Amino acid sequence: MDGNVDVKRGERVVRPPPSPGEGSRLGDWETAYARYREDPEGFWAAVAGELEWFRPWDRVREWRHPYARWFVNGALNITHNCLDRHASGDHRNKVALIWRGEEEGDEQVLTYRQLHREVMRFANALKNLGVGKGDTVCIYMPLVPEQIVAMLACARIGAVHSIVFGGFGASALHARIRDAKAKIIVTADVGYRRGKRVALKTIVDEAVVNAPSVERIIVLRRTRPELELYSELEVDYEECMAAADAFCPPEVMDAEDPLFILYTSGTTGTPKGIVHTCGGYMVGAYYTSQYVFDMRENDVYWCTADPGWITGHSYIVYGPLAAGATVLITETVPDHPDPGVWWRIIEDFGVTIFYTAPTAIRMFMKFGEEWPKRSSLDSLRLIGSVGEPLNPEAFEWYYRVIGGSACPVLDTWWQTETGMHMITTLAGEPMKPGFAGRPIPGVAADVVDREGNPVQPGVGGLLVITEPWPAMMRAVHNNDERYRQYWTTVNGYYTAGDLAVKDEDGYIMVLGRADDIIIVAGHNLGTAEVESALVSHEAVAEAAVIGIPDALKGQAVKAFVILRLGHAPSEKLKSDLVYHVRMSIGPIAMPSAIEFVESLPKTRSGKIMRRVLKAQEMGIDPGDISTLEE
Ligand code: 6R9
């Protein structure tokens, strides 16, 4: 451990060594935040002004609660900013995308000029199939450059993309195709996962039954001999590329035209189609990529998400490309062929900015430090996390073992609905393990009670966003009622559905989803709090806790625990863990039952599905489990 520190939640402040650049170009948080508060519209206008517009906006924002319009009457095309802007200037030969397949040496590199051309060609291919502005295209692909080309090609011609992560099964895909009324599906014959083929096309075949909106299926054929296409519905990716013109001008889009629909990861309830629009989303994704990730000319940036998640939309594709970055993508999983593969990739490509999820970090902790130690990770200068609370143990490990105690750790809190980073600790600012940080300049967030009154530091409450922001979702597809709920539950604020607590400095610690709260003898416990305490025990790799009925206390805590390698389950260990939680949080949080497990039910984006554990425990129906990983 770094300097013998105590890593209980929020008890330590890590002052990062100044980053190898000059620190965040936003300046210090206080000054930048004050600049935003003085003139929110001016602040965002300045950011938007760094991008190119076909027509300037008349007003920065129009807010008719709960409906917002940003950059009113502005006209743009996001791909013009992600591609043409770089491909026409002296950046044309800069590498835009590096793809690394499962096998070492299996690589593909596209410069901005090349990516631009691929996108224009595929945009024309879509047009040739009758796709136009406002049509919906469903993209169901593995993590290959063509997935990104397809996305950008839609945006080029004003078609709305709905990406469905390649790990979803037929019924989840079917539901999303139907809800979005997709006209075209872009898919591949297979994806590769752990050296095995995943037959995506077969899943599409099943999913399009009884989906009358679908007119064509474009298939990228990766295997040889080529998969046979057996109906006139199906067309070959390469063939339609070959038949398409090379030049496709960007469609002129209104700032408020829809850019994409993305169904949320659905840790709870049925998936919702979140709708984002062109202008505000572009500005938000660009701003945070440029300034939160502090993107520099020579950065090699790697976000380990899939474009099928919002993290991939905003921080693999739109944000980093708008910022002109070199983006690495890979089809590899973190532990195949061994848990060293990702660290070898960092060394091999000289990755400077690395963005991953707590679930991956905790998995690497389980495998041990030997793996990252075998590679040089010296190129890294900034490391980030997203998706779940980054508990202090994981923070410390990530900071020390991966960041070499020299990189800012950006624990970024945000959502599919927010479109962009909302809360984090900017590079160069003091970091507090367990705390995501403060709202970034441009964002107004708070922790409040049910009536909307700010709670005192140290008291738990609801995480809300009090002012609209450019990349906010504009609608829930076909469900205005659900959209309005976000803004009408607590005092007209945007309610994120997360519980949080603030400290005296305004740092926010996210405790978990509000629906994951456990009430033990009248005390509210966030699942993340108890899980974090468990994970801080040396034997524990990962933990999930749920509330189970208790005659005396209303609810009691039950914990599911995955042990680190080298630790065996025992009754003694159980009582050690109970004691450990007692000492960390207090008697109220002591688990009344502990079960050692090999794995935990997770969404395909890596979030623990406590709802499923609970249903198993109670012998009830878990509800919609389309997002559950097998
Ligand atoms: C980007 C993304 C959103 C939910 C969100 C919260 C959890 C995300 C977090 C975090 C604590 C962080 N979450 N980042 N919790 N600390 N840094 O994950 O979007 O899939 O829509 O999930 O994820 O509970 O409400 P999405």
Side-chain angles (χ1 to χ4, degrees):
M1 189 83 9
D2 202 22
N4 265 337
V5 286
D6 187 340
V7 293
K8 260 188 257 161
R9 285 209 129 197
E11 283 183 4
R12 179 167 118 85
V13 175
V14 181
R15 294 194 184 274
S19 77
E22 310 93 64
S24 167
R25 276 162 301 171
L26 284 174
D28 68 287
W29 182 86
E30 269 84 10
T31 317
Y33 202 78
R35 194 156 53 79
Y36 156 63
R37 288 316 272 170
E38 266 159 37
D39 180 12
E41 294 193 6
F43 179 91
W44 281 111
V47 176
E50 294 177 20
L51 296 162
E52 290 175 10
W53 297 74
F54 300 145
R55 184 190 183 284
W57 55 88
D58 297 330
R59 290 168 62 195
V60 173
R61 114 185 162 184
E62 185 188 279
W63 179 225
R64 293 207 186 97
H65 186 276
Y67 304 104
R69 295 170 70 199
W70 281 83
F71 309 108
V72 181
N73 297 328
L76 74 144
N77 188 293
I78 195 167
T79 69
H80 172 85
N81 281 290
C82 291
L83 299 170
D84 306 49
R85 205 157 67 90
H86 314 301
S88 58
D90 53 7
H91 275 72
R92 69 180 65 188
N93 295 319
K94 179 171 174 175
V95 172
L97 269 190
I98 303 171
W99 175 81
R100 158 62 154 89
E102 272 219 323
E103 300 289 316
E104 206 174 325
D106 191 6
E107 292 168 23
Q108 228 175 300
V109 174
L110 287 169
T111 63
Y112 271 94
R113 180 182 148 279
Q114 291 171 319
L115 182 61
H116 184 219
R117 291 184 176 201
E118 290 283 299
V119 167
M120 289 199 295
R121 204 179 272 281
F122 195 61
N124 281 328
L126 289 173
K127 275 189 183 171
N128 291 345
L129 293 174
V131 181
K133 188 171 179 172
D135 288 335
T136 306
V137 174
C138 172
I139 301 173
Y140 180 68
M141 293 185 93
L143 216 179
V144 288
E146 288 84 352
Q147 182 191 29
I148 293 172
V149 168
M151 253 173 117
L152 292 166
C154 289
R156 188 77 174 173
I157 61 173
V160 177
H161 59 68
S162 163
I163 306 193
V164 179
F165 173 55
F168 278 118
S171 65
L173 177 60
H174 175 79
R176 286 159 177 75
I177 292 170
R178 275 191 71 112
D179 189 70
K181 295 204 170 51
K183 188 166 173 178
I184 300 271
I185 298 174
V186 189
T187 190
D189 50 359
V190 299
Y192 292 94
R193 209 178 149 78
R194 297 200 161 78
K196 296 206 179 73
R197 289 177 181 178
V198 184
L200 296 179
K201 172 61 171 38
T202 319
I203 295 170
V204 172
D205 291 342
E206 203 180 323
V208 294
V209 176
N210 201 9
S213 62
V214 178
E215 293 175 11
R216 289 298 174 92
I217 303 167
I218 305 178
V219 188
L220 175 75
R221 293 188 283 181
R222 309 175 74 194
T223 53
R224 296 292 177 272
E226 282 176 347
L227 179 88
E228 221 167 305
L229 302 179
Y230 50 82
S231 83
E232 60 287 5
L233 246 148
E234 301 173 355
V235 288
D236 176 63
Y237 182 96
E238 297 301 340
E239 270 170 37
C240 43
M241 279 297 252
D245 281 346
F247 179 73
C248 176
E251 186 74 34
V252 176
M253 304 297 287
D254 184 86
E256 286 300 322
D257 280 336
L259 176 64
F260 64 83
I261 300 179
L262 181 60
Y263 291 84
T264 51
S265 44
T267 8
T268 52
T270 40
K272 302 173 285 251
I274 303 300
V275 179
H276 281 284
T277 56
C278 296
Y281 175 80
M282 170 178 77
V283 171
Y286 161 75
Y287 164 68
T288 44
S289 298
Q290 184 73 74
Y291 294 103
V292 174
F293 284 138
D294 191 33
M295 212 74 88
R296 313 265 164 157
E297 187 54 44
N298 292 322
D299 275 320
V300 178
Y301 165 86
W302 180 18
C303 164
T304 68
D306 183 280
W309 309 120
I310 191 67
T311 304
H313 281 62
S314 302
Y315 300 112
I316 293 178
V317 184
Y318 291 116
L321 294 180
T326 294
V327 179
L328 183 117
I329 53 173
T330 169
E331 214 173 349
T332 54
V333 294
D335 57 351
H336 179 84
D338 61 59
V341 55
W342 280 12
W343 317 125
R344 291 195 295 274
I345 291 177
I346 289 179
E347 174 172 352
D348 201 9
F349 293 93
V351 172
T352 57
I353 302 177
F354 180 64
Y355 191 32
T356 194
T359 177
I361 297 167
R362 290 191 296 254
M363 180 169 113
F364 288 125
M365 289 170 74
K366 183 175 96 175
F367 290 128
E369 289 179 28
E370 318 73 89
W371 288 104
K373 290 254 159 78
R374 288 182 200 172
S375 297
S376 162
L377 306 179
D378 291 347
S379 57
L380 290 174
R381 65 174 193 86
L382 204 147
I383 54 179
S385 164
V386 58
E388 282 187 294
L390 182 65
N391 45 289
E393 272 294 318
F395 176 102
E396 289 289 343
W397 193 90
Y398 195 35
Y399 177 68
R400 182 175 56 83
V401 180
I402 305 308
S405 303
C407 302
V409 174
L410 274 75
D411 176 3
T412 59
W413 179 90
W414 60 293
Q415 306 177 298
T416 305
E417 295 88 331
T418 71
M420 64 178 216
H421 296 154
M422 302 297 276
I423 297 170
T424 192
T425 303
L426 296 176
E429 296 289 325
M431 299 177 281
K432 302 189 185 193
F435 286 82
R438 291 173 288 195
I440 62 171
V443 170
D446 209 342
V447 182
V448 301
D449 64 21
R450 300 238 160 242
E451 279 70 53
N453 309 303
V455 294
Q456 292 302 308
V459 179
L462 301 164
L463 181 54
V464 294
I465 311 295
T466 57
E467 295 282 334
W469 64 101
M472 60 189 262
M473 67 163 161
R474 298 297 196 272
V476 174
H477 190 58
N478 285 338
N479 197 342
D480 189 47
E481 174 68 27
R482 185 65 195 85
Y483 173 79
R484 296 182 62 84
Q485 264 174 31
Y486 282 93
W487 284 96
T488 49
T489 310
V490 181
N491 195 32
Y493 297 149
Y494 170 85
T495 358
D498 282 5
L499 294 171
V501 56
K502 250 185 354 187
D503 75 357
E504 267 86 16
D505 301 322
Y507 277 58
I508 294 171
M509 175 191 287
V510 180
L511 300 172
R513 300 291 302 165
D515 26 40
D516 280 337
I517 194 96
I518 304 173
I519 305 175
V520 181
H523 296 264
N524 289 10
L525 273 177
T527 49
E529 189 105 26
V530 186
E531 288 160 9
S532 198
L534 284 163
V535 174
S536 73
H537 189 280
E538 58 169 13
V540 178
E542 188 142 35
V545 307
I546 58 168
I548 51 172
D550 183 281
L552 222 55
K553 298 180 276 189
Q555 275 188 306
V557 174
K558 166 148 193 193
F560 298 83
V561 169
I562 302 178
L563 294 177
R564 286 206 206 192
L565 295 182
H567 294 271
S570 69
E571 287 308 311
K572 167 78 171 58
L573 182 53
K574 276 189 193 173
S575 52
D576 281 359
L577 291 178
V578 172
Y579 183 73
H580 183 75
V581 174
R582 183 194 171 105
M583 297 314 286
S584 308
I585 308 177
I588 205 74
M590 275 163 41
S592 58
I594 291 184
E595 192 174 321
F596 295 112
V597 291
E598 293 294 321
S599 66
L600 291 167
K602 287 191 181 159
T603 64
R604 286 154 215 266
S605 61
K607 297 189 202 327
I608 298 170
M609 285 179 97
R610 296 176 189 81
R611 184 160 59 86
V612 172
L613 286 171
K614 193 154 178 165
Q616 268 167 10
E617 189 69 26
M618 321 277 292
I620 54 171
D621 175 14
D624 177 62
I625 50 164
S626 62
T627 59
L628 185 68
E629 201 175 46
E630 319 70 89

